Amino acid sequence: MQHTTHAASSLVFASAARSAHDNSYDTADEKSELQTALTAAKLTEQEAVSSAQRFEAELSDLAGAYNNLEVHSYQLEAQIKRLQTQAAQAPSTAGSSAEETPQASSPHHEPENGDAEESAMSDLLTCLGLEEQKAHM
């Protein structure tokens, strides 16, 4: 009976050893799989960080370009307002270019125009003086 018990205990021991050995293979296989998964996760993290950095750089570039466009837009709007103001101050220049005669573009025209303006101003002052005299009477 001792022989049977010894044989039985040897079988139990061998079975336990084999089971432990199988568990160590399972643990080694699992460890290997976990290391592979960890390596893959680290690579994925590095790729994500790299992508995030690239996207940040692109976003920064886009923000700079947008700011430049805003500045340019502001400058164009200011130029438009300035040109509109100039156009409002000189409305006769747009129509006079089509009706301009060779005489009007000659250098002799300006003094005549200046003389006409002086004459008109003189007439206005004379009229104003006459009106003041009437008011004092």
Side-chain angles (χ1 to χ4, degrees):
M1 198 114 161
Q2 283 183 335
H3 183 57
T4 328
T5 309
H6 188 331
S9 52
S10 289
L11 282 173
V12 169
F13 181 72
S15 180
R18 190 175 305 140
S19 176
H21 185 54
D22 288 345
N23 284 340
S24 68
Y25 281 121
D26 289 342
T27 304
D29 288 344
E30 287 176 3
K31 184 177 179 182
S32 176
E33 288 175 13
L34 289 174
Q35 285 178 338
T36 303
L38 180 62
T39 303
K42 285 181 180 179
L43 287 174
T44 302
E45 178 189 16
Q46 288 173 349
E47 289 172 355
V49 168
S50 176
S51 292
Q53 290 172 341
R54 188 179 74 247
F55 290 142
E56 281 182 6
E58 289 175 1
L59 182 61
S60 178
D61 290 345
L62 286 173
Y66 182 79
N67 288 337
N68 288 339
L69 285 173
E70 279 187 329
V71 167
H72 187 68
S73 173
Y74 176 77
Q75 291 170 345
L76 289 176
E77 287 175 0
Q79 184 179 5
I80 287 170
K81 287 180 183 178
R82 188 180 72 246
L83 291 173
Q84 286 174 341
T85 302
Q86 288 175 354
Q89 290 175 351
S92 63
T93 59
S96 67
S97 65
E99 299 172 3
E100 200 172 53
T101 62
Q103 251 185 359
S105 64
S106 72
H108 301 295
H109 180 67
E110 287 183 29
E112 291 175 11
N113 191 18
D115 290 341
E117 289 176 2
E118 286 179 24
S119 174
M121 183 62 88
S122 177
D123 290 342
L124 286 174
L125 289 174
T126 304
C127 289
L128 182 60
L130 292 173
E131 290 298 318
E132 282 182 2
Q133 285 177 356
K134 288 181 186 177
H136 288 297
M137 291 184 175

XYZ file of all heavy atoms in Angstrom, residues 18 46 54 59 70 75 87 120:
67
model
N 3.387 19.610 -13.339
C 3.022 19.874 -14.728
C 2.040 21.039 -14.787
O 2.152 21.898 -15.643
C 2.399 18.617 -15.342
C 2.226 18.753 -16.834
C 1.732 17.490 -17.488
N 2.625 16.377 -17.158
C 2.212 15.162 -16.884
N 0.928 14.880 -16.886
N 3.063 14.202 -16.629
N 2.864 57.621 -28.619
C 3.854 58.465 -29.291
C 3.299 59.042 -30.582
O 3.518 60.217 -30.902
C 5.129 57.667 -29.573
C 5.942 57.353 -28.343
C 7.111 56.416 -28.639
O 7.204 55.844 -29.729
N 7.990 56.243 -27.656
N 1.853 68.174 -34.212
C 1.725 68.617 -35.606
C 0.470 69.468 -35.780
O 0.502 70.524 -36.413
C 1.707 67.411 -36.542
C 1.776 67.800 -38.015
C 1.785 66.606 -38.954
N 0.466 66.008 -39.041
C 0.130 64.794 -38.592
N 1.024 64.026 -38.050
N -1.099 64.344 -38.708
N -2.310 74.590 -36.406
C -3.292 75.535 -35.875
C -2.647 76.889 -35.620
O -3.231 77.932 -35.912
C -3.915 74.988 -34.591
C -4.994 75.843 -33.941
C -6.174 76.033 -34.889
C -5.459 75.199 -32.649
N -6.896 89.435 -41.258
C -7.676 90.456 -40.558
C -7.007 91.818 -40.669
O -7.676 92.826 -40.893
C -7.857 90.087 -39.085
C -8.950 89.089 -38.832
C -9.212 88.884 -37.351
O -8.271 89.004 -36.536
O -10.363 88.623 -37.006
N -6.900 97.154 -43.230
C -6.222 98.143 -44.065
C -7.039 98.458 -45.310
O -7.162 99.626 -45.706
C -4.828 97.659 -44.455
C -3.858 97.598 -43.299
C -2.555 96.894 -43.660
O -2.469 96.204 -44.675
N -1.544 97.069 -42.822
N -13.926 110.885 -52.476
C -14.927 110.967 -53.540
C -16.076 111.879 -53.130
O -16.599 112.627 -53.953
C -15.446 109.576 -53.897
N -16.407 135.586 -58.047
C -17.617 135.114 -57.362
C -17.552 135.453 -55.876
O -18.550 135.870 -55.278
C -17.770 133.614 -57.559
